[in-house]
């Protein structure tokens, strides 16, 4: 066996991902050493509870509750604890003690990314986070390295498996949101408290990470527009299907070009995606990231966006990279945020919309609605009307497809429609992406 230099690896956390990382590191140590050019010694695993059950069997003597001592003697720190503290302090301690850091912590990077990257820059170390945006799917390295010579125009990502699972089952079974969510919780696809997933918080963190990389601009989490999927109904899914669309929760990161300036938009919302688009065929809890770049054209990255062992694959890839860098020496490559593009609010974003209204089936109603939209700068592309006879009289159901319009104009026009006296109910307003 080659006599490699030994690197000490500190693992923080042995939960769903950490336990798998430890197991694979121990099992494939020799192979990883050949790839890394260094022998990777798992020096210890910091946890909260030494007696907690683990997903895989691991040597008990590796476990410790003294994370700090473990970190200060390490060449590579793998942070898989999650949350902000003490993960943040531990990462800063690791960088300060000369270690390279591998983390899958999207919550931390989306909120404290600049602080962590600055700390790495100060000491010439590197932070690797392939698993933080889409689990096992390689997307960080493609954006940071493979596409470094190109200009990314747009990213559309299905980056949350729980919401994709829910929307996909609603689409294939005609089921209601609440029923599928309850089932997803029973099957372990959704947490007991599903807020982070169904309200789009998890996807927003990933969008901030992807946009920062793609546009060389630090994107704070509060600059990401966020809407969840709790208001999506079986009827909306059925209507979307009839019009040739599927509803997906998308993280959209977009470069907007003005006459002589550029800006970016970063947003998460449920959108209508044409059934012919590659993202429409992402089923179940899978994730996919669709990248459009000026020279490369369209690229699609697809696979498991979560799962302990799947995510461990991305983490170990980072560990090998960190080991290679450590052995090669020199200064780590920092984050590129030099473009520093302005981030626009959702009001400036231009898309097509589908507006569904319930209106009284009376003469003049259509003309009033078309007038309100047109006065508000929103032009109608398609209109489908169906009439339902109820005990109170006839109610018309209108599905209006618009041409592209700024979000601010559209929402002001929809407010005016709601107050117009001719609209009984604004059933839904959905944006169209991926045409
Ligand atoms: P997890 O199952 O909750 O495990 C967390 C681990 O960290 C546990 O072993 C826990 O110790 C330890 N820990 C937590 N707080 C600690 C503290 N204060 N001191 C010492 N140890 C502490 O988490 P996970 O699902 O593996 O996720 C880890 C990270 O990967 C998170 O940032 C997550 O966002 C990210 N990630 C996860 C997935 C996934 O599929 N799970 C996918 C992509 C990214 P005890 O076991 O003793 O309680």
């Amino acid at each position: 066996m080659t006599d490699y230099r030994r690197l000490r690896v500190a693992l923080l956390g042995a939960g769903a991902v950490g336990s798998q990382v430890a197991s694979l590191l121990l099992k494939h140590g020799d192979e990883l050493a050949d790839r890394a050019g260094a022998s990777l010694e798992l020096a210890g695993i910091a946890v909260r509870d030494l007696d907690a059950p683990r997903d895989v069997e691991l040597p008990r003597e590796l476990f410790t509750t003294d994370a700090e001592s473990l970190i200060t003697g390490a060449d590579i720190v793998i942070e898989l604890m999650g949350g902000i503290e003490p993960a943040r302090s531990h990462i800063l301690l690791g960088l300060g003690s000369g270690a390279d850091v591998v983390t899958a912590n999207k919550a931390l990077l989306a909120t404290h990314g600049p602080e962590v990257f600055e700390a790495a820059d100060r000491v010439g170390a590197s932070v690797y986070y392939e698993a933080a945006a889409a689990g096992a799917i390689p997307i960080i390295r493609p954006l940071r390295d493979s596409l470094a010579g190109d200009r990314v125009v747009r990213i559309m990502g299905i980056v949350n498996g729980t919401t994709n699972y829910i929307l996909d089952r609603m689409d294939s079974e005609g089921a209601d949101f609440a029923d599928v969510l309850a089932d997803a919780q029973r099957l372990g696809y959704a947490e007991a408290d599903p807020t982070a997933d169904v309200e789009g918080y998890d996807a927003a963190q990933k969008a901030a990470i992807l946009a920062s990389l793609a546009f060389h601009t630090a994107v704070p989490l509060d600059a990401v527009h966020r809407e969840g999927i709790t208001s999506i109904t079986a009827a909306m899914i059925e209507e979307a299907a009839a019009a040739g669309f599927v509803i997906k929760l998308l993280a959209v990161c977009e470069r907007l070009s003005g006459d002589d300036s550029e800006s970016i938009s970063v947003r998460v919302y449920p959108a209508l995606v044409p059934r012919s688009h590659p993202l429409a065929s992402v089923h179940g809890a899978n994730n996919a990231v669709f990248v459009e770049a000026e020279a490369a054209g369209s690229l699609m990255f697809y696979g498991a966006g979560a799962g302990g062992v799947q995510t461990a694959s991305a983490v170990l890839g980072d560990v090998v990279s960190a080991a290679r860098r450590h052995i090669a020496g020199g200064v780590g490559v920092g984050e590129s945020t030099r473009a520093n593009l302005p981030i626009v609010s959702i009001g400036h974003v231009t898309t097509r919309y589908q507006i569904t209204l319930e209106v009284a089936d009376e003469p003049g109603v259509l003309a009033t609605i078309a007038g309100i939209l047109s006065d508000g700068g929103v032009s109608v592309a398609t209109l489908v009307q169906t009439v339902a006879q109820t005990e109170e009289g006839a109610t018309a159901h209108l599905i209006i497809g618009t041409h592209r319009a700024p979000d601010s104009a559209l929402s002001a026009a929809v407010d005016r429609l709601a107050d117009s006296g001719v609209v009984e109910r604004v059933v839904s307003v959905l944006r169209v992406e991926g045409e």
Side-chain angles (χ1 to χ4, degrees):
M1 210 178 85
T2 317
D3 194 15
Y4 291 120
R5 182 176 146 196
R6 233 171 41 153
L7 295 181
R8 285 172 62 84
V9 178
L11 176 60
L12 313 181
V17 184
S19 60
Q20 300 291 345
V21 166
S23 168
L24 293 173
L25 201 48
L26 294 170
K27 191 162 141 202
H28 301 309
D30 290 346
E31 270 185 54
L32 292 175
D34 285 340
R35 288 173 209 163
S39 143
L40 300 166
E41 180 203 343
L42 183 55
I45 308 172
V47 292
R48 263 179 311 214
D49 176 2
L50 294 175
D51 297 319
R54 304 289 159 201
D55 293 350
V56 289
E57 206 172 310
L58 294 166
R60 201 182 156 79
E61 63 274 16
L62 285 177
F63 285 88
T64 175
T65 52
D66 183 2
E68 279 86 359
S69 302
L70 186 62
I71 294 165
T72 47
D75 299 300
I76 297 171
V77 173
I78 311 174
E79 184 279 307
L80 294 170
M81 294 174 15
I84 307 301
E85 284 296 351
R88 171 185 157 275
S89 303
H90 287 345
I91 286 177
L92 295 177
L93 176 63
L95 291 169
S97 342
D100 284 312
V101 167
V102 175
T103 178
N105 195 332
K106 58 219 151 206
L108 178 70
L109 291 178
T111 50
H112 292 77
E115 182 189 18
V116 168
F117 297 129
E118 274 163 35
D121 283 349
R122 269 199 301 278
V123 293
S126 278
V127 180
Y128 300 84
Y129 52 98
E130 185 59 76
I137 304 173
I139 185 63
I140 300 298
R141 222 171 256 103
L143 286 174
R144 184 155 66 178
D145 298 333
S146 321
L147 290 168
D150 208 333
R151 299 186 87 237
V152 173
V153 180
R154 186 181 298 106
I155 295 175
M156 290 193 294
I158 294 174
V159 290
N160 181 270
T162 305
T163 46
N164 201 58
Y165 174 85
I166 293 172
L167 292 173
D168 191 38
R169 279 197 53 192
M170 289 175 75
D171 184 62
S172 60
E173 297 168 20
D176 276 320
F177 172 78
D179 293 340
V180 182
L181 172 61
D183 218 27
Q185 285 170 316
R186 196 176 50 76
L187 294 167
Y189 286 110
E191 305 275 342
D193 177 0
T195 313
D197 294 321
V198 298
E199 296 292 0
Y201 290 102
D202 173 79
Q205 291 170 352
K206 294 164 175 173
I209 293 172
L210 293 175
S212 300
L213 270 175
F215 303 126
H216 309 278
T217 294
V219 176
L221 190 53
D222 60 10
V224 181
H225 175 83
R226 178 194 52 78
E227 295 171 33
I229 65 162
T230 51
S231 59
I232 303 297
T233 62
M236 286 160 77
I237 300 251
E238 193 183 328
E239 230 164 57
F245 294 108
V246 59
I247 299 178
K248 294 288 189 191
L249 182 72
L250 293 186
V252 183
C253 315
E254 193 172 30
R255 187 190 293 272
L256 308 171
S257 296
D259 289 341
D260 52 6
S261 65
E262 286 192 328
S263 55
I264 59 171
S265 151
V266 191
R267 52 200 198 258
V268 169
Y269 46 54
L272 295 166
V273 176
R275 288 213 172 241
S276 55
H277 194 281
L279 287 174
S281 50
V282 176
H283 297 295
N286 282 307
N287 282 197
V289 185
F290 190 80
V291 180
E292 295 166 52
E294 268 181 18
S298 299
L299 307 164
M300 170 103 149
F301 302 83
Y302 169 86
V309 71
Q310 294 88 341
T311 305
S313 159
V315 172
L316 283 169
D318 279 351
V319 172
V320 169
S321 296
R324 286 178 183 153
R325 196 207 81 73
H326 222 83
I327 294 294
V331 176
V333 180
E335 293 304 290
S336 150
T337 54
R338 284 199 201 96
N340 200 16
L341 294 172
I343 308 165
V344 300
S345 65
I346 188 70
H348 291 86
V349 171
T350 299
T351 59
R352 286 208 322 106
Y353 299 84
Q354 187 168 291
I355 309 164
T356 303
L357 305 172
E358 269 174 24
V359 300
D361 184 28
E362 289 163 5
V365 167
L366 278 186
T368 307
I369 289 170
I372 291 171
L373 288 171
S374 147
D375 289 350
V378 180
S379 82
V380 174
T382 59
L383 194 146
V384 178
Q385 178 176 1
T386 50
V387 178
Q389 214 60 47
T390 63
E391 280 175 10
E392 290 84 40
T395 296
H397 199 76
L398 287 187
I399 303 177
I400 302 166
T402 76
H403 287 294
R404 291 180 78 86
D407 215 273
S408 53
L410 190 280
S411 53
V414 170
D415 286 348
R416 280 198 292 278
L417 284 176
D419 294 339
S420 65
V422 299
V423 171
E424 288 171 2
R425 191 162 74 96
V426 177
V427 179
S428 64
V429 180
L430 284 168
R431 301 169 184 93
V432 180
E433 294 283 359
E435 285 187 314

